[in-house]
Coordinates of all heavy atoms in Angstrom, one line a residue:
L15 N 17.8 -126.8 -29.3 CA 16.9 -126.1 -28.3 C 17.4 -126.0 -26.9 O 17.3 -125.0 -26.2 CB 15.6 -127.0 -28.3 CG 14.7 -126.9 -29.6 CD1 13.5 -127.8 -29.5 CD2 14.3 -125.5 -29.9
L16 N 18.1 -127.1 -26.5 CA 18.7 -127.0 -25.1 C 19.8 -125.9 -25.1 O 19.9 -125.2 -24.0 CB 19.3 -128.4 -24.8 CG 18.3 -129.5 -24.5 CD1 19.0 -130.8 -24.3 CD2 17.4 -129.1 -23.3
L17 N 20.6 -125.7 -26.1 CA 21.6 -124.7 -26.2 C 21.0 -123.4 -26.1 O 21.5 -122.5 -25.4 CB 22.5 -124.9 -27.4 CG 23.6 -123.9 -27.6 CD1 24.6 -124.0 -26.5 CD2 24.3 -124.1 -29.0
L18 N 19.9 -123.1 -26.9 CA 19.3 -121.8 -26.9 C 18.7 -121.5 -25.5 O 18.7 -120.4 -24.9 CB 18.1 -121.8 -27.9 CG 18.6 -121.8 -29.3 CD1 17.4 -121.8 -30.3 CD2 19.4 -120.5 -29.6
A19 N 18.1 -122.5 -24.8 CA 17.5 -122.3 -23.5 C 18.6 -121.9 -22.5 O 18.4 -121.1 -21.6 CB 16.8 -123.5 -23.1
A20 N 19.8 -122.6 -22.6 CA 20.9 -122.3 -21.7 C 21.3 -120.9 -21.8 O 21.6 -120.1 -20.9 CB 22.0 -123.3 -21.9
V21 N 21.5 -120.4 -23.1 CA 22.0 -119.1 -23.4 C 21.0 -118.0 -22.8 O 21.4 -117.1 -22.2 CB 22.2 -118.9 -24.9 CG1 22.5 -117.5 -25.2 CG2 23.3 -119.8 -25.4
A22 N 19.7 -118.3 -23.0 CA 18.7 -117.4 -22.6 C 18.7 -117.3 -21.0 O 18.6 -116.2 -20.4 CB 17.3 -117.8 -23.1
G23 N 18.8 -118.4 -20.4 CA 18.9 -118.5 -18.9 C 20.1 -117.7 -18.4 O 20.0 -117.0 -17.4
A24 N 21.2 -117.8 -19.1 CA 22.4 -117.1 -18.6 C 22.2 -115.6 -18.8 O 22.6 -114.8 -17.9 CB 23.6 -117.6 -19.4
G25 N 21.5 -115.2 -19.8 CA 21.3 -113.8 -20.1 C 20.4 -113.2 -19.0 O 20.6 -112.1 -18.5
L26 N 19.3 -114.0 -18.6 CA 18.5 -113.4 -17.6 C 19.1 -113.4 -16.3 O 18.9 -112.4 -15.5 CB 17.2 -114.3 -17.6 CG 16.2 -114.3 -18.7 CD1 15.2 -115.4 -18.6 CD2 15.6 -112.9 -18.9
A27 N 19.9 -114.4 -16.0 CA 20.6 -114.4 -14.7 C 21.5 -113.2 -14.5 O 21.7 -112.6 -13.4 CB 21.3 -115.7 -14.4
G28 N 22.2 -112.8 -15.6 CA 23.2 -111.7 -15.5 C 22.6 -110.3 -15.7 O 23.3 -109.4 -15.6
A29 N 21.3 -110.2 -16.0 CA 20.7 -108.9 -16.3 C 20.6 -108.1 -15.1 O 20.3 -108.6 -14.0 CB 19.3 -109.1 -16.9
A30 N 20.9 -106.7 -15.1 CA 20.8 -105.9 -14.0 C 19.3 -105.6 -13.7 O 18.5 -105.5 -14.6 CB 21.5 -104.6 -14.3
P31 N 18.9 -105.4 -12.4 CA 17.5 -105.2 -12.0 C 17.1 -103.8 -12.6 O 17.9 -102.8 -12.6 CB 17.5 -105.2 -10.5 CG 18.9 -105.0 -10.1 CD 19.7 -105.5 -11.2
R32 N 15.8 -103.6 -13.0 CA 15.3 -102.3 -13.5 C 15.1 -101.4 -12.3 O 14.6 -101.9 -11.3 CB 14.1 -102.5 -14.3 CG 14.2 -103.3 -15.6 CD 13.0 -103.5 -16.3 NE 12.4 -102.1 -16.6 CZ 11.2 -101.9 -17.1 NH1 10.4 -103.0 -17.3 NH2 10.8 -100.7 -17.4
R33 N 15.4 -100.1 -12.4 CA 15.1 -99.2 -11.4 C 13.9 -98.3 -11.8 O 13.8 -97.9 -13.0 CB 16.3 -98.3 -11.2 CG 17.5 -99.0 -10.6 CD 18.7 -98.1 -10.4 NE 19.8 -98.8 -9.9 CZ 20.0 -99.1 -8.5 NH1 19.1 -98.6 -7.7 NH2 21.0 -99.7 -8.1
L34 N 13.0 -98.0 -10.9 CA 11.9 -97.2 -11.1 C 12.1 -95.8 -10.6 O 12.7 -95.6 -9.5 CB 10.6 -97.8 -10.4 CG 10.2 -99.2 -10.8 CD1 9.0 -99.7 -10.0 CD2 9.9 -99.2 -12.3
A35 N 11.7 -94.8 -11.3 CA 11.9 -93.4 -10.9 C 11.0 -93.1 -9.6 O 10.0 -93.7 -9.4 CB 11.5 -92.5 -12.0
G36 N 11.5 -92.2 -8.8 CA 10.8 -91.8 -7.6 C 11.4 -92.3 -6.3 O 12.4 -93.0 -6.4
S37 N 10.7 -92.0 -5.2 CA 11.2 -92.4 -3.9 C 10.1 -93.3 -3.2 O 8.9 -93.0 -3.4 CB 11.5 -91.2 -3.0 OG 12.4 -90.4 -3.6
P38 N 10.5 -94.2 -2.4 CA 9.5 -95.1 -1.8 C 8.7 -94.2 -0.8 O 9.2 -93.4 0.0 CB 10.4 -96.2 -1.0 CG 11.7 -95.5 -0.9 CD 11.9 -94.6 -2.1
V39 N 7.4 -94.5 -0.7 CA 6.5 -93.8 0.2 C 5.8 -94.9 1.1 O 5.3 -95.9 0.5 CB 5.5 -93.0 -0.6 CG1 4.5 -92.4 0.4 CG2 6.2 -91.9 -1.4
P40 N 5.8 -94.7 2.4 CA 5.1 -95.7 3.3 C 3.6 -95.7 3.0 O 3.0 -94.6 2.7 CB 5.4 -95.2 4.7 CG 5.8 -93.8 4.5 CD 6.4 -93.6 3.2
A41 N 3.0 -96.8 3.1 CA 1.5 -96.9 2.8 C 0.8 -96.1 3.9 O 1.2 -96.1 5.1 CB 1.1 -98.4 2.9
V42 N -0.3 -95.5 3.5 CA -1.1 -94.7 4.4 C -2.5 -95.4 4.6 O -3.2 -95.8 3.7 CB -1.4 -93.3 3.8 CG1 -2.4 -92.5 4.8 CG2 -0.1 -92.5 3.6
L43 N -2.7 -95.7 5.9 CA -4.0 -96.4 6.2 C -5.0 -95.4 6.5 O -4.9 -94.5 7.4 CB -3.8 -97.3 7.4 CG -2.8 -98.5 7.3 CD1 -2.7 -99.3 8.5 CD2 -3.2 -99.3 6.1
V44 N -6.1 -95.4 5.8 CA -7.2 -94.4 5.9 C -8.3 -95.0 6.7 O -8.8 -96.1 6.4 CB -7.7 -93.9 4.6 CG1 -8.8 -92.9 4.8 CG2 -6.6 -93.3 3.8
A45 N -8.7 -94.4 7.9 CA -9.7 -95.0 8.7 C -11.0 -95.0 8.0 O -11.3 -94.1 7.2 CB -9.8 -94.2 10.0
A46 N -11.8 -96.0 8.3 CA -13.2 -96.0 7.8 C -14.1 -95.2 8.7 O -13.6 -94.6 9.7 CB -13.7 -97.5 7.7
A47 N -15.3 -95.1 8.3 CA -16.3 -94.3 9.2 C -16.4 -95.0 10.5 O -16.2 -96.2 10.6 CB -17.7 -94.3 8.5
P48 N -16.6 -94.2 11.6 CA -16.8 -94.8 12.9 C -18.0 -95.6 13.0 O -18.9 -95.5 12.1 CB -16.8 -93.6 13.8 CG -17.3 -92.5 12.9 CD -16.8 -92.7 11.6
R49 N -18.1 -96.4 14.0 CA -19.3 -97.2 14.2 C -19.9 -96.8 15.6 O -19.3 -96.3 16.5 CB -19.0 -98.7 14.3 CG -18.4 -99.2 12.9 CD -18.1 -100.7 13.0 NE -17.0 -101.0 14.0 CZ -16.6 -102.2 14.3 NH1 -17.1 -103.2 13.6 NH2 -15.7 -102.4 15.2
V50 N -21.2 -97.1 15.7 CA -21.9 -96.8 17.0 C -21.2 -97.6 18.1 O -21.0 -98.8 18.0 CB -23.4 -97.2 16.9 CG1 -24.0 -97.1 18.3 CG2 -24.1 -96.2 15.9
G51 N -20.8 -96.9 19.2 CA -20.2 -97.5 20.3 C -18.7 -97.3 20.3 O -18.0 -97.6 21.3
D52 N -18.1 -96.7 19.2 CA -16.6 -96.4 19.2 C -16.3 -95.3 20.2 O -17.1 -94.5 20.5 CB -16.2 -95.9 17.8 CG -16.0 -97.0 16.8 OD1 -16.1 -98.2 17.2 OD2 -15.7 -96.7 15.7

Side-chain angles (χ1 to χ4, degrees):
L15 291 177
L16 290 175
L17 178 62
L18 290 175
V21 172
L26 290 174
R32 295 181 59 189
R33 295 183 179 274
L34 300 177
S37 302
V39 177
V42 177
L43 297 179
V44 180
R49 299 181 297 179
V50 171
D52 279 357

